[in-house]
């Protein structure tokens, strides 16, 4: 039997680069595409195209065959410091929407049966996430829509775009709403890093009894999903009969203060938290895994602590090798 071919858009990014490794282990021929190569390890893709998916002609070159699976992860995104300040709204919306419009159009013309699309928990209405102890992120709560960021609005628009192609062109696109994915080889410095990576870095840089800065009062809640679990959910959904949208996240909700305590404990350091103003996003957010469990008979199982241990170890190494290089 011929080797199946897979396309990963955003293969130079955090989730995409891990996905390529996993798909190679599964035996696929993999083409990756991105503006850049992965930042922390050599790509394992058989073919890696560097280019801009906002360019339609480039998208036609990328989708030059009927791929068996296509994962569309490319987006202009970052952590709270990037998507909640308002400074990047026009770029975030324009760039990500253009990528989705282009790639979906060329895939449909090449008779690709369906794509996997990574939406985000950021598309849920902000008013359902004001109570840090009881956020509502069940899939059915998405409408009436009221995301708290333009990043979330673009995700919602693109979800609808993928579903419209299912309805009108008989495609079988699959949509997941990711909730805070983390792990080694993710952005950990520079402004686009997310809370777990930022906290691991700050703790790794701090002395024993040192002080680290936390945005807000630290009582906002979130859940975080380890990368390997995310990939398991992603490939299961892509190969299932369920189109989604469905949450892929963890239900182990913690406050940001608890997250800091966990990381400090892993590092074996006593850490003092200094709360400062900063971009925050919603007050509470947690995955609701009832639908994925019902539809796919699966939900993530590893603990936040076990994922943080692996992430901290990796980030600590980056911090130390940066110090040696300085
Ligand atoms: P990432 O930023 O590491 O990866 C995205 C990749 O897309 C980057 O490598 C970037 O260079 C590439 N890209 C951006 N614009 C491009 C363009 N014009 N042409 C080609 N490539 C382009 O992000 P990630 O964490 O790996 O996230 C992957 C997807 O999952 C994104 O769509 C993101 O919105 C979604 N998501 C991620 C999380 C998370 O916690 N990481 C949560 C919710 C949703």
């Amino acid at each position: 039997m011929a080797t199946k071919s897979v396309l990963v858009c955003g293969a130079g990014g955090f989730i995409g680069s891990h996905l390529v490794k996993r798909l190679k282990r599964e035996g696929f021929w993999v083409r990756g595409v991105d503006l850049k190569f992965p930042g922390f390890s050599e790509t394992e893709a058989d073919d890696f195209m560097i280019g801009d998916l906002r360019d339609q002609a480039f998208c036609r070159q990328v989708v030059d065959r009927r791929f068996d699976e296509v994962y569309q992860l490319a987006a202009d995104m970052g952590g709270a410091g990037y998507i909640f300040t308002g400074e990047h709204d026009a770029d975030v919306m324009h760039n990500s929407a253009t990528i989705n419009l282009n790639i979906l159009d060329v895939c449909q013309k090449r008779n690709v049966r369906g794509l996997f699309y990574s939406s985000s928990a950021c598309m849920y209405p902000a008013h359902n996430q004001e109570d840090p102890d009881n956020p509502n992120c069940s899939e059915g709560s998405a409408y009436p829509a009221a995301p708290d960021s333009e990043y979330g609005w673009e995700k919602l628009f693109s979800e609808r775009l993928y579903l419209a192609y299912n309805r009108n062109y008989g495609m079988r696109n699959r949509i997941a709403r990711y909730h805070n994915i983390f792990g080694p080889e993710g952005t950990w410095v520079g402004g686009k890093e997310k809370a777990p990576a930022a906290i691991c870095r700050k703790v790794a840089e701090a002395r024993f009894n040192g002080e680290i800065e936390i945005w807000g009062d630290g009582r906002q809640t979130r859940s975080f999903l380890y990368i390997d679990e995310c990939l398991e959910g992603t490939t299961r959904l892509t190969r299932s009969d369920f189109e989604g949208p469905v949450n892929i996240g963890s239900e182990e909700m913690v406050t940001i203060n608890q997250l800091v305590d966990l990381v400090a404990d892993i590092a074996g350091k006593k850490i003092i938290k200094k709360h400062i103003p900063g971009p925050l996003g919603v007050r509470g957010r947690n995955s609701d895994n009832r639908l994925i469990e019902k539809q796919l008979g699966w939900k993530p199982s590893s603990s936040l602590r076990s994922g943080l241990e692996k992430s901290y170890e990796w980030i600590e190494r980056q911090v130390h090798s940066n110090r040696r290089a300085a």
Side-chain angles (χ1 to χ4, degrees):
M1 209 170 75
T3 310
K4 288 190 169 181
S5 61
V6 180
L7 173 65
V8 179
C9 304
F14 167 52
I15 300 173
S17 58
H18 282 278
L19 180 61
V20 167
K21 289 182 193 166
R22 183 188 164 117
L23 294 167
K24 281 311 298 169
R25 280 202 305 276
E26 290 183 7
F28 289 97
W29 183 89
V30 181
R31 168 172 290 164
V33 57
D34 203 298
L35 291 168
K36 59 176 180 65
F37 286 108
F40 305 108
S41 61
E42 220 33 39
T43 182
E44 291 181 19
D46 298 277
D47 180 36
F48 199 101
M49 294 175 74
I50 293 283
D52 192 334
L53 293 168
R54 290 171 302 180
D55 174 355
Q56 253 181 356
F58 176 65
C59 289
R60 281 194 291 274
Q61 286 169 27
V62 170
V63 187
D64 62 355
R65 68 196 72 185
R66 187 178 184 276
F67 286 96
D68 294 289
E69 292 179 6
V70 174
Y71 296 86
Q72 200 318 73
L73 305 167
D76 188 2
M77 60 100 63
Y82 188 73
I83 56 177
F84 295 130
T85 57
E87 286 164 35
H88 310 282
D89 285 350
D91 286 346
V92 164
M93 296 187 90
H94 173 88
N95 293 342
S96 298
T98 308
I99 295 169
N100 286 313
L101 288 161
N102 282 348
I103 207 79
L104 195 43
D105 182 57
V106 289
C107 281
Q108 186 268 325
K109 287 181 174 140
R110 279 274 176 202
N111 285 325
V112 173
R113 278 196 68 214
L115 296 88
F116 168 88
Y117 173 59
S118 51
S119 180
S120 163
C122 288
M123 47 61 60
Y124 282 116
H127 57 252
N128 284 339
Q129 301 171 78
E130 279 160 12
D131 176 357
D133 299 322
N134 278 308
N136 177 7
C137 290
S138 61
E139 287 81 353
S141 71
Y143 295 97
D148 72 332
S149 64
E150 302 300 359
Y151 169 76
W153 278 106
E154 188 282 325
K155 288 292 187 193
L156 202 56
F157 162 77
S158 290
E159 281 190 5
R160 301 189 67 93
L161 182 70
Y162 283 87
L163 292 175
Y165 271 71
N166 282 358
R167 267 197 315 280
N168 297 162
Y169 290 110
M171 290 183 84
R172 51 177 299 284
N173 299 312
R174 303 284 178 259
I175 299 165
R177 293 173 179 160
Y178 285 160
H179 290 243
N180 292 317
I181 315 303
F182 76 101
E185 303 196 358
T187 305
W188 60 281
V189 71
K192 281 192 166 187
E193 66 277 18
K194 311 268 183 53
I199 289 168
C200 285
R201 186 195 73 237
K202 290 176 186 181
V203 170
E205 286 169 347
R207 285 172 290 112
F208 188 83
N209 248 337
E211 186 179 79
I212 69 168
E213 290 184 342
I214 308 291
W215 287 344
D217 62 10
R219 289 193 211 131
Q220 64 274 34
T221 52
R222 291 291 185 277
S223 68
F224 303 94
L225 183 70
Y226 190 63
I227 181 70
D228 292 356
E229 300 273 14
C230 165
L231 299 182
E232 184 63 33
T234 298
T235 49
R236 279 184 189 240
L237 176 63
T238 305
R239 296 162 195 169
S240 79
D241 290 330
F242 182 53
E243 70 177 18
V246 67
N247 292 326
I248 293 187
S250 160
E251 287 181 330
E252 190 183 340
M253 188 170 80
V254 290
T255 65
I256 298 301
N257 287 333
Q258 286 169 331
L259 183 68
V260 175
D261 293 342
L262 249 174
V263 175
D265 192 52
I266 289 166
K269 290 184 182 176
K270 199 163 178 301
I271 292 291
I272 299 155
K273 304 177 200 85
K274 182 182 177 194
H275 297 283
I276 58 161
L280 293 176
V282 293
R283 201 65 195 138
R285 177 171 291 152
N286 193 13
S287 186
D288 179 330
N289 291 341
R290 285 173 296 176
L291 185 62
I292 196 162
E293 220 181 325
K294 179 163 171 259
Q295 292 291 343
L296 304 185
W298 176 84
K299 61 176 180 173
S301 56
S302 69
S303 68
L304 173 60
R305 187 180 176 107
S306 73
L308 279 176
E309 283 170 352
K310 290 176 234 172
S311 305
Y312 183 78
E313 192 196 320
W314 182 80
I315 289 177
E316 195 188 30
R317 252 187 288 133
Q318 310 306 307
V319 168
H320 287 149
S321 56
N322 256 29
R323 271 199 193 135
R324 275 196 298 277

